[in-house]
mmCIF file of all heavy atoms in Angstrom:
data_model
loop_
_atom_site.group_PDB
_atom_site.id
_atom_site.type_symbol
_atom_site.label_atom_id
_atom_site.label_comp_id
_atom_site.label_asym_id
_atom_site.label_seq_id
_atom_site.Cartn_x
_atom_site.Cartn_y
_atom_site.Cartn_z
ATOM 1 N N GLN A 1 44.998 46.390 31.437
ATOM 2 C CA GLN A 1 44.938 46.001 32.829
ATOM 3 C C GLN A 1 44.251 44.640 32.905
ATOM 4 O O GLN A 1 44.714 43.792 33.759
ATOM 5 C CB GLN A 1 43.967 47.017 33.636
ATOM 6 C CG GLN A 1 43.876 46.741 35.101
ATOM 7 C CD GLN A 1 42.852 47.827 35.663
ATOM 8 O OE1 GLN A 1 41.695 47.544 35.793
ATOM 9 N NE2 GLN A 1 43.406 48.965 35.998
ATOM 10 N N GLN A 2 43.221 44.335 32.166
ATOM 11 C CA GLN A 2 42.584 43.068 32.224
ATOM 12 C C GLN A 2 43.605 41.938 31.687
ATOM 13 O O GLN A 2 43.540 40.830 32.266
ATOM 14 C CB GLN A 2 41.320 43.082 31.354
ATOM 15 C CG GLN A 2 40.144 43.887 31.944
ATOM 16 C CD GLN A 2 39.049 44.042 30.982
ATOM 17 O OE1 GLN A 2 39.200 43.946 29.738
ATOM 18 N NE2 GLN A 2 37.841 44.330 31.484
ATOM 19 N N PHE A 3 44.358 42.256 30.597
ATOM 20 C CA PHE A 3 45.286 41.265 30.108
ATOM 21 C C PHE A 3 46.314 40.958 31.185
ATOM 22 O O PHE A 3 46.632 39.733 31.438
ATOM 23 C CB PHE A 3 45.907 41.917 28.896
ATOM 24 C CG PHE A 3 47.108 41.126 28.297
ATOM 25 C CD1 PHE A 3 46.842 39.895 27.753
ATOM 26 C CD2 PHE A 3 48.397 41.630 28.480
ATOM 27 C CE1 PHE A 3 47.904 39.183 27.223
ATOM 28 C CE2 PHE A 3 49.420 40.866 27.982
ATOM 29 C CZ PHE A 3 49.221 39.664 27.367
ATOM 30 N N VAL A 4 46.883 42.032 31.822
ATOM 31 C CA VAL A 4 47.889 41.743 32.956
ATOM 32 C C VAL A 4 47.330 40.812 34.031
ATOM 33 O O VAL A 4 47.918 39.948 34.455
ATOM 34 C CB VAL A 4 48.428 43.132 33.472
ATOM 35 C CG1 VAL A 4 49.253 42.874 34.737
ATOM 36 C CG2 VAL A 4 49.192 43.820 32.422
ATOM 37 N N LEU A 5 46.104 41.172 34.580
ATOM 38 C CA LEU A 5 45.517 40.515 35.590
ATOM 39 C C LEU A 5 45.209 39.073 35.212
ATOM 40 O O LEU A 5 45.403 38.127 36.009
ATOM 41 C CB LEU A 5 44.236 41.147 36.056
ATOM 42 C CG LEU A 5 44.374 42.493 36.785
ATOM 43 C CD1 LEU A 5 42.972 43.140 37.052
ATOM 44 C CD2 LEU A 5 45.116 42.273 38.136
ATOM 45 N N GLN A 6 44.754 38.817 33.952
ATOM 46 C CA GLN A 6 44.414 37.468 33.479
ATOM 47 C C GLN A 6 45.753 36.726 33.301
ATOM 48 O O GLN A 6 45.800 35.530 33.573
ATOM 49 C CB GLN A 6 43.705 37.520 32.105
ATOM 50 C CG GLN A 6 43.312 36.174 31.672
ATOM 51 C CD GLN A 6 42.212 35.545 32.560
ATOM 52 O OE1 GLN A 6 41.261 36.114 32.985
ATOM 53 N NE2 GLN A 6 42.449 34.207 32.797
ATOM 54 N N SER A 7 46.797 37.370 32.924
ATOM 55 C CA SER A 7 48.113 36.665 32.837
ATOM 56 C C SER A 7 48.549 36.294 34.167
ATOM 57 O O SER A 7 49.157 35.093 34.294
ATOM 58 C CB SER A 7 49.078 37.640 32.204
ATOM 59 O OG SER A 7 48.722 37.966 30.870
ATOM 60 N N TYR A 8 48.484 37.100 35.220
ATOM 61 C CA TYR A 8 48.742 36.650 36.560
ATOM 62 C C TYR A 8 47.950 35.401 36.959
ATOM 63 O O TYR A 8 48.518 34.519 37.529
ATOM 64 C CB TYR A 8 48.550 37.802 37.545
ATOM 65 C CG TYR A 8 49.680 38.754 37.786
ATOM 66 C CD1 TYR A 8 49.627 40.034 37.315
ATOM 67 C CD2 TYR A 8 50.866 38.344 38.382
ATOM 68 C CE1 TYR A 8 50.627 40.960 37.528
ATOM 69 C CE2 TYR A 8 51.935 39.163 38.512
ATOM 70 C CZ TYR A 8 51.862 40.437 38.131
ATOM 71 O OH TYR A 8 52.885 41.405 38.324
ATOM 72 N N HIS A 9 46.679 35.484 36.652
ATOM 73 C CA HIS A 9 45.839 34.383 37.108
ATOM 74 C C HIS A 9 46.278 33.048 36.433
ATOM 75 O O HIS A 9 46.377 32.010 37.018
ATOM 76 C CB HIS A 9 44.401 34.715 36.702
ATOM 77 C CG HIS A 9 43.450 33.558 36.887
ATOM 78 N ND1 HIS A 9 43.040 33.181 38.145
ATOM 79 C CD2 HIS A 9 42.850 32.694 35.929
ATOM 80 C CE1 HIS A 9 42.149 32.103 37.937
ATOM 81 N NE2 HIS A 9 42.112 31.834 36.756
ATOM 82 N N ASN A 10 46.484 33.184 34.963
ATOM 83 C CA ASN A 10 46.857 31.947 34.278
ATOM 84 C C ASN A 10 48.169 31.374 34.802
ATOM 85 O O ASN A 10 48.318 30.143 34.873
ATOM 86 C CB ASN A 10 47.004 32.274 32.805
ATOM 87 C CG ASN A 10 45.560 32.606 32.174
ATOM 88 O OD1 ASN A 10 44.676 32.365 32.808
ATOM 89 N ND2 ASN A 10 45.705 33.267 30.998
ATOM 90 N N ARG A 11 49.167 32.277 35.058
ATOM 91 C CA ARG A 11 50.462 31.805 35.539
ATOM 92 C C ARG A 11 50.410 31.204 36.858
ATOM 93 O O ARG A 11 51.028 30.168 37.234
ATOM 94 C CB ARG A 11 51.557 32.790 35.388
ATOM 95 C CG ARG A 11 51.789 33.458 34.092
ATOM 96 C CD ARG A 11 52.301 32.591 33.047
ATOM 97 N NE ARG A 11 51.395 31.773 32.297
ATOM 98 C CZ ARG A 11 50.554 32.151 31.411
ATOM 99 N NH1 ARG A 11 50.559 33.354 30.992
ATOM 100 N NH2 ARG A 11 49.713 31.323 30.799
ATOM 101 N N MET A 12 49.628 31.788 37.809
ATOM 102 C CA MET A 12 49.422 31.249 39.073
ATOM 103 C C MET A 12 48.863 29.913 39.120
ATOM 104 O O MET A 12 49.216 28.977 39.821
ATOM 105 C CB MET A 12 48.586 32.204 39.981
ATOM 106 C CG MET A 12 49.358 33.491 40.453
ATOM 107 S SD MET A 12 50.866 33.119 41.413
ATOM 108 C CE MET A 12 50.271 32.349 42.821
ATOM 109 N N THR A 13 47.831 29.679 38.155
ATOM 110 C CA THR A 13 47.122 28.331 38.079
ATOM 111 C C THR A 13 48.156 27.435 37.570
ATOM 112 O O THR A 13 48.175 26.222 38.099
ATOM 113 C CB THR A 13 45.950 28.536 37.000
ATOM 114 O OG1 THR A 13 44.969 29.398 37.468
ATOM 115 C CG2 THR A 13 45.366 27.141 36.800
ATOM 116 N N GLU A 14 49.042 27.667 36.591
ATOM 117 C CA GLU A 14 50.052 26.786 36.192
ATOM 118 C C GLU A 14 51.072 26.505 37.259
ATOM 119 O O GLU A 14 51.533 25.322 37.359
ATOM 120 C CB GLU A 14 50.734 27.322 34.919
ATOM 121 C CG GLU A 14 49.823 27.323 33.764
ATOM 122 C CD GLU A 14 50.302 28.206 32.561
ATOM 123 O OE1 GLU A 14 51.023 29.137 32.745
ATOM 124 O OE2 GLU A 14 49.773 27.995 31.404
ATOM 125 N N LEU A 15 51.408 27.496 38.088
ATOM 126 C CA LEU A 15 52.346 27.253 39.198
ATOM 127 C C LEU A 15 51.674 26.272 40.119
ATOM 128 O O LEU A 15 52.428 25.360 40.647
ATOM 129 C CB LEU A 15 52.664 28.573 39.852
ATOM 130 C CG LEU A 15 53.756 29.377 39.158
ATOM 131 C CD1 LEU A 15 53.874 30.729 39.910
ATOM 132 C CD2 LEU A 15 55.108 28.688 39.169
ATOM 133 N N PHE A 16 50.431 26.442 40.429
ATOM 134 C CA PHE A 16 49.669 25.464 41.348
ATOM 135 C C PHE A 16 49.797 24.030 40.704
ATOM 136 O O PHE A 16 49.961 23.097 41.519
ATOM 137 C CB PHE A 16 48.356 25.885 41.664
ATOM 138 C CG PHE A 16 48.278 27.086 42.574
ATOM 139 C CD1 PHE A 16 47.228 28.083 42.352
ATOM 140 C CD2 PHE A 16 49.048 27.296 43.693
ATOM 141 C CE1 PHE A 16 47.091 29.136 43.149
ATOM 142 C CE2 PHE A 16 48.995 28.414 44.481
ATOM 143 C CZ PHE A 16 47.978 29.323 44.276
ATOM 144 N N GLU A 17 49.569 23.978 39.417
ATOM 145 C CA GLU A 17 49.590 22.652 38.849
ATOM 146 C C GLU A 17 50.988 21.988 38.886
ATOM 147 O O GLU A 17 51.152 20.865 39.114
ATOM 148 C CB GLU A 17 49.167 22.834 37.285
ATOM 149 C CG GLU A 17 47.737 23.085 37.184
ATOM 150 C CD GLU A 17 47.385 23.236 35.654
ATOM 151 O OE1 GLU A 17 48.210 23.197 34.839
ATOM 152 O OE2 GLU A 17 46.141 23.401 35.330
ATOM 153 N N ALA A 18 52.044 22.908 38.819
ATOM 154 C CA ALA A 18 53.420 22.375 38.878
ATOM 155 C C ALA A 18 53.672 21.900 40.295
ATOM 156 O O ALA A 18 54.301 20.886 40.479
ATOM 157 C CB ALA A 18 54.377 23.502 38.501
ATOM 158 N N ILE A 19 53.236 22.683 41.267
ATOM 159 C CA ILE A 19 53.354 22.299 42.686
ATOM 160 C C ILE A 19 52.667 20.981 42.914
ATOM 161 O O ILE A 19 53.156 19.968 43.566
ATOM 162 C CB ILE A 19 52.929 23.394 43.640
ATOM 163 C CG1 ILE A 19 53.829 24.586 43.534
ATOM 164 C CG2 ILE A 19 52.909 22.863 45.085
ATOM 165 C CD1 ILE A 19 53.310 25.887 44.220
ATOM 166 N N ASP A 20 51.369 20.928 42.415
ATOM 167 C CA ASP A 20 50.552 19.635 42.639
ATOM 168 C C ASP A 20 51.227 18.443 41.956
ATOM 169 O O ASP A 20 51.259 17.330 42.575
ATOM 170 C CB ASP A 20 49.234 19.861 42.095
ATOM 171 C CG ASP A 20 48.293 20.779 42.891
ATOM 172 O OD1 ASP A 20 48.723 21.081 44.060
ATOM 173 O OD2 ASP A 20 47.236 21.163 42.419
ATOM 174 N N SER A 21 51.794 18.731 40.791
ATOM 175 C CA SER A 21 52.481 17.657 40.063
ATOM 176 C C SER A 21 53.671 17.143 40.916
ATOM 177 O O SER A 21 53.799 15.849 40.998
ATOM 178 C CB SER A 21 52.962 18.153 38.702
ATOM 179 O OG SER A 21 53.696 17.169 38.093
ATOM 180 N N ILE A 22 54.402 17.992 41.490
ATOM 181 C CA ILE A 22 55.550 17.503 42.280
ATOM 182 C C ILE A 22 55.155 16.910 43.507
ATOM 183 O O ILE A 22 55.729 15.828 43.997
ATOM 184 C CB ILE A 22 56.476 18.808 42.605
ATOM 185 C CG1 ILE A 22 57.092 19.297 41.298
ATOM 186 C CG2 ILE A 22 57.599 18.316 43.553
ATOM 187 C CD1 ILE A 22 57.705 20.620 41.486
ATOM 188 N N ALA A 23 54.160 17.398 44.209
ATOM 189 C CA ALA A 23 53.774 16.936 45.444
ATOM 190 C C ALA A 23 52.886 15.699 45.370
ATOM 191 O O ALA A 23 52.993 14.831 46.272
ATOM 192 C CB ALA A 23 52.903 18.003 46.221
ATOM 193 N N PHE A 24 51.964 15.535 44.441
ATOM 194 C CA PHE A 24 50.964 14.446 44.388
ATOM 195 C C PHE A 24 51.138 13.435 43.397
ATOM 196 O O PHE A 24 50.607 12.325 43.439
ATOM 197 C CB PHE A 24 49.547 15.078 44.351
ATOM 198 C CG PHE A 24 49.372 16.090 45.435
ATOM 199 C CD1 PHE A 24 48.978 17.398 45.171
ATOM 200 C CD2 PHE A 24 49.524 15.801 46.787
ATOM 201 C CE1 PHE A 24 48.769 18.343 46.109
ATOM 202 C CE2 PHE A 24 49.308 16.726 47.757
ATOM 203 C CZ PHE A 24 48.861 18.040 47.474
ATOM 204 N N LEU A 25 51.782 13.757 42.222
ATOM 205 C CA LEU A 25 51.957 12.736 41.163
ATOM 206 C C LEU A 25 53.184 11.933 41.248
ATOM 207 O O LEU A 25 54.189 12.416 41.702
ATOM 208 C CB LEU A 25 51.940 13.422 39.786
ATOM 209 C CG LEU A 25 50.662 14.268 39.411
ATOM 210 C CD1 LEU A 25 50.830 14.792 37.936
ATOM 211 C CD2 LEU A 25 49.358 13.370 39.505
ATOM 212 N N LYS A 26 53.058 10.670 40.950
ATOM 213 C CA LYS A 26 54.201 9.782 40.832
ATOM 214 C C LYS A 26 55.067 10.340 39.650
ATOM 215 O O LYS A 26 54.553 10.982 38.693
ATOM 216 C CB LYS A 26 53.831 8.371 40.714
ATOM 217 C CG LYS A 26 53.050 7.805 41.861
ATOM 218 C CD LYS A 26 52.785 6.348 41.798
ATOM 219 C CE LYS A 26 51.818 6.030 40.646
ATOM 220 N NZ LYS A 26 51.483 4.610 40.560
ATOM 221 N N MET A 27 56.303 9.867 39.621
ATOM 222 C CA MET A 27 57.218 10.375 38.539
ATOM 223 C C MET A 27 56.688 9.999 37.243
ATOM 224 O O MET A 27 56.801 10.738 36.172
ATOM 225 C CB MET A 27 58.675 9.922 38.763
ATOM 226 C CG MET A 27 59.604 10.336 37.702
ATOM 227 S SD MET A 27 59.593 12.176 37.502
ATOM 228 C CE MET A 27 60.555 12.659 38.979
ATOM 229 N N ASP A 28 56.191 8.787 37.018
ATOM 230 C CA ASP A 28 55.705 8.283 35.723
ATOM 231 C C ASP A 28 54.559 9.202 35.271
ATOM 232 O O ASP A 28 54.342 9.692 34.047
ATOM 233 C CB ASP A 28 55.251 6.967 35.646
ATOM 234 C CG ASP A 28 54.140 6.543 36.561
ATOM 235 O OD1 ASP A 28 53.982 7.254 37.605
ATOM 236 O OD2 ASP A 28 53.524 5.503 36.398
ATOM 237 N N GLU A 29 53.675 9.640 36.197
ATOM 238 C CA GLU A 29 52.518 10.576 35.856
ATOM 239 C C GLU A 29 53.072 11.906 35.509
ATOM 240 O O GLU A 29 52.574 12.586 34.558
ATOM 241 C CB GLU A 29 51.551 10.617 37.028
ATOM 242 C CG GLU A 29 50.898 9.311 37.354
ATOM 243 C CD GLU A 29 50.086 9.243 38.616
ATOM 244 O OE1 GLU A 29 50.565 9.946 39.706
ATOM 245 O OE2 GLU A 29 48.969 8.839 38.705
ATOM 246 N N ARG A 30 54.082 12.432 36.312
ATOM 247 C CA ARG A 30 54.639 13.686 35.949
ATOM 248 C C ARG A 30 55.303 13.723 34.552
ATOM 249 O O ARG A 30 55.152 14.707 33.749
ATOM 250 C CB ARG A 30 55.762 14.060 36.974
ATOM 251 C CG ARG A 30 55.210 14.554 38.353
ATOM 252 C CD ARG A 30 56.442 15.027 39.225
ATOM 253 N NE ARG A 30 57.215 15.952 38.657
ATOM 254 C CZ ARG A 30 58.469 16.217 38.965
ATOM 255 N NH1 ARG A 30 59.069 15.502 39.909
ATOM 256 N NH2 ARG A 30 59.086 17.263 38.441
ATOM 257 N N LEU A 31 55.940 12.599 34.330
ATOM 258 C CA LEU A 31 56.671 12.451 32.974
ATOM 259 C C LEU A 31 55.636 12.479 31.818
ATOM 260 O O LEU A 31 55.769 13.223 30.825
ATOM 261 C CB LEU A 31 57.489 11.166 32.888
ATOM 262 C CG LEU A 31 58.096 10.772 31.590
ATOM 263 C CD1 LEU A 31 58.987 11.876 31.045
ATOM 264 C CD2 LEU A 31 58.797 9.418 31.636
ATOM 265 N N PHE A 32 54.448 11.795 31.949
ATOM 266 C CA PHE A 32 53.560 11.775 30.858
ATOM 267 C C PHE A 32 52.785 13.037 30.728
ATOM 268 O O PHE A 32 52.555 13.521 29.571
ATOM 269 C CB PHE A 32 52.462 10.654 31.108
ATOM 270 C CG PHE A 32 51.595 10.345 29.962
ATOM 271 C CD1 PHE A 32 52.202 10.092 28.658
ATOM 272 C CD2 PHE A 32 50.269 10.334 30.085
ATOM 273 C CE1 PHE A 32 51.344 9.842 27.636
ATOM 274 C CE2 PHE A 32 49.464 10.005 29.012
ATOM 275 C CZ PHE A 32 49.998 9.853 27.799
ATOM 276 N N LYS A 33 52.575 13.815 31.909
ATOM 277 C CA LYS A 33 51.886 15.197 31.822
ATOM 278 C C LYS A 33 52.986 16.118 31.037
ATOM 279 O O LYS A 33 52.583 16.877 30.240
ATOM 280 C CB LYS A 33 51.691 15.620 33.267
ATOM 281 C CG LYS A 33 51.043 17.091 33.181
ATOM 282 C CD LYS A 33 50.775 17.542 34.603
ATOM 283 C CE LYS A 33 50.105 18.853 34.658
ATOM 284 N NZ LYS A 33 50.959 19.994 33.955
ATOM 285 N N TYR A 34 54.230 15.926 31.369
ATOM 286 C CA TYR A 34 55.254 16.806 30.775
ATOM 287 C C TYR A 34 55.315 16.524 29.243
ATOM 288 O O TYR A 34 55.325 17.533 28.426
ATOM 289 C CB TYR A 34 56.566 16.480 31.438
ATOM 290 C CG TYR A 34 57.865 16.952 30.636
ATOM 291 C CD1 TYR A 34 58.407 18.199 30.822
ATOM 292 C CD2 TYR A 34 58.385 16.029 29.552
ATOM 293 C CE1 TYR A 34 59.527 18.673 30.114
ATOM 294 C CE2 TYR A 34 59.559 16.512 28.912
ATOM 295 C CZ TYR A 34 60.130 17.797 29.135
ATOM 296 O OH TYR A 34 61.185 18.202 28.517
ATOM 297 N N LEU A 35 55.289 15.288 28.825
ATOM 298 C CA LEU A 35 55.245 14.939 27.389
ATOM 299 C C LEU A 35 54.005 15.546 26.733
ATOM 300 O O LEU A 35 54.181 16.060 25.577
ATOM 301 C CB LEU A 35 55.329 13.452 27.275
ATOM 302 C CG LEU A 35 56.638 12.731 27.702
ATOM 303 C CD1 LEU A 35 56.418 11.221 27.527
ATOM 304 C CD2 LEU A 35 57.841 13.284 26.911
ATOM 305 N N LYS A 36 52.879 15.432 27.298
ATOM 306 C CA LYS A 36 51.686 15.922 26.734
ATOM 307 C C LYS A 36 51.689 17.387 26.595
ATOM 308 O O LYS A 36 51.222 18.020 25.605
ATOM 309 C CB LYS A 36 50.395 15.408 27.441
ATOM 310 C CG LYS A 36 50.090 13.940 27.268
ATOM 311 C CD LYS A 36 48.730 13.631 27.736
ATOM 312 C CE LYS A 36 48.529 13.727 29.261
ATOM 313 N NZ LYS A 36 47.210 13.290 29.753
ATOM 314 N N ASP A 37 52.173 18.087 27.646
ATOM 315 C CA ASP A 37 52.261 19.593 27.625
ATOM 316 C C ASP A 37 53.219 19.966 26.535
ATOM 317 O O ASP A 37 53.018 20.991 25.812
ATOM 318 C CB ASP A 37 52.783 20.149 28.954
ATOM 319 C CG ASP A 37 51.746 20.010 30.088
ATOM 320 O OD1 ASP A 37 50.505 19.747 29.753
ATOM 321 O OD2 ASP A 37 52.003 20.163 31.276
ATOM 322 N N LYS A 38 54.373 19.348 26.413
ATOM 323 C CA LYS A 38 55.313 19.664 25.332
ATOM 324 C C LYS A 38 54.755 19.410 24.024
ATOM 325 O O LYS A 38 55.032 20.287 23.115
ATOM 326 C CB LYS A 38 56.638 18.793 25.553
ATOM 327 C CG LYS A 38 57.856 19.308 25.019
ATOM 328 C CD LYS A 38 58.963 18.491 25.433
ATOM 329 C CE LYS A 38 60.352 19.043 24.820
ATOM 330 N NZ LYS A 38 60.796 20.273 25.418
ATOM 331 N N ALA A 39 54.002 18.373 23.745
ATOM 332 C CA ALA A 39 53.352 18.106 22.509
ATOM 333 C C ALA A 39 52.354 19.246 22.175
ATOM 334 O O ALA A 39 52.154 19.658 21.072
ATOM 335 C CB ALA A 39 52.604 16.786 22.493
ATOM 336 N N MET A 40 51.622 19.673 23.210
ATOM 337 C CA MET A 40 50.594 20.680 23.049
ATOM 338 C C MET A 40 51.240 22.005 22.609
ATOM 339 O O MET A 40 50.780 22.652 21.565
ATOM 340 C CB MET A 40 49.806 20.903 24.320
ATOM 341 C CG MET A 40 48.794 22.022 24.195
ATOM 342 S SD MET A 40 47.857 22.223 25.719
ATOM 343 C CE MET A 40 49.200 22.923 26.804
ATOM 344 N N VAL A 41 52.345 22.480 23.311
ATOM 345 C CA VAL A 41 52.911 23.753 22.941
ATOM 346 C C VAL A 41 53.622 23.721 21.584
ATOM 347 O O VAL A 41 53.859 24.726 20.862
ATOM 348 C CB VAL A 41 53.870 24.301 24.013
ATOM 349 C CG1 VAL A 41 53.124 24.554 25.317
ATOM 350 C CG2 VAL A 41 55.007 23.471 24.254
ATOM 351 N N ASN A 42 54.113 22.523 21.200
ATOM 352 C CA ASN A 42 54.760 22.354 19.900
ATOM 353 C C ASN A 42 53.701 22.102 18.810
ATOM 354 O O ASN A 42 54.078 22.022 17.570
ATOM 355 C CB ASN A 42 55.760 21.155 20.035
ATOM 356 C CG ASN A 42 57.060 21.546 20.593
ATOM 357 O OD1 ASN A 42 57.969 22.083 19.910
ATOM 358 N ND2 ASN A 42 57.189 21.363 21.837
ATOM 359 N N HIS A 43 52.421 21.810 19.155
ATOM 360 C CA HIS A 43 51.424 21.523 18.193
ATOM 361 C C HIS A 43 51.830 20.279 17.280
ATOM 362 O O HIS A 43 51.592 20.292 16.120
ATOM 363 C CB HIS A 43 51.123 22.724 17.315
ATOM 364 C CG HIS A 43 50.675 23.974 18.046
ATOM 365 N ND1 HIS A 43 49.508 24.075 18.618
ATOM 366 C CD2 HIS A 43 51.426 25.082 18.315
ATOM 367 C CE1 HIS A 43 49.483 25.194 19.357
ATOM 368 N NE2 HIS A 43 50.632 25.822 19.104
ATOM 369 N N ASN A 44 52.393 19.295 17.938
ATOM 370 C CA ASN A 44 52.846 18.164 17.265
ATOM 371 C C ASN A 44 52.907 16.982 18.228
ATOM 372 O O ASN A 44 53.546 17.078 19.319
ATOM 373 C CB ASN A 44 54.321 18.385 16.677
ATOM 374 C CG ASN A 44 54.589 17.325 15.647
ATOM 375 O OD1 ASN A 44 54.204 16.271 15.669
ATOM 376 N ND2 ASN A 44 55.447 17.757 14.609
ATOM 377 N N GLU A 45 52.304 15.859 17.868
ATOM 378 C CA GLU A 45 52.342 14.765 18.761
ATOM 379 C C GLU A 45 53.696 13.940 18.761
ATOM 380 O O GLU A 45 54.000 13.220 19.677
ATOM 381 C CB GLU A 45 51.234 13.703 18.277
ATOM 382 C CG GLU A 45 51.567 13.139 16.889
ATOM 383 C CD GLU A 45 50.346 12.244 16.334
ATOM 384 O OE1 GLU A 45 49.358 12.159 17.129
ATOM 385 O OE2 GLU A 45 50.438 11.575 15.416
ATOM 386 N N VAL A 46 54.567 14.369 17.829
ATOM 387 C CA VAL A 46 55.904 13.881 17.812
ATOM 388 C C VAL A 46 56.905 14.906 18.448
ATOM 389 O O VAL A 46 56.931 16.074 17.950
ATOM 390 C CB VAL A 46 56.424 13.478 16.419
ATOM 391 C CG1 VAL A 46 57.849 12.983 16.472
ATOM 392 C CG2 VAL A 46 55.526 12.386 15.777
ATOM 393 N N ILE A 47 57.599 14.602 19.468
ATOM 394 C CA ILE A 47 58.474 15.465 20.225
ATOM 395 C C ILE A 47 59.899 15.102 19.954
ATOM 396 O O ILE A 47 60.323 13.906 20.062
ATOM 397 C CB ILE A 47 58.227 15.388 21.715
ATOM 398 C CG1 ILE A 47 56.685 15.609 22.034
ATOM 399 C CG2 ILE A 47 59.064 16.372 22.496
ATOM 400 C CD1 ILE A 47 56.394 15.184 23.501
#
């Protein structure tokens, strides 16, 4: 139950970040955030 609730919380936080990125960041900032996120999940600075 705690795992499911925490998963909802984490994904909602990420959805808010995605909305904020679209609404408030310029495209170059969105792009750089995307690249850093992609590097993080791949555990490699080369994408």
Side-chain angles (χ1 to χ4, degrees):
Q1 184 183 93
Q2 291 171 338
F3 173 70
V4 169
L5 291 174
Q6 187 62 48
S7 296
Y8 271 113
H9 173 75
N10 292 344
R11 301 296 82 77
M12 286 302 296
T13 298
E14 287 165 340
L15 281 175
F16 287 142
E17 288 178 356
I19 293 168
D20 287 348
S21 176
I22 295 167
F24 304 123
L25 295 183
K26 295 185 294 183
M27 181 54 77
D28 61 336
E29 295 171 321
R30 283 182 61 200
L31 172 59
F32 192 51
K33 181 180 183 301
Y34 165 90
L35 295 174
K36 290 195 293 184
D37 288 347
K38 201 172 180 70
M40 181 183 67
V41 300
N42 282 274
H43 305 289
N44 194 332
E45 63 187 9
V46 178
I47 305 167

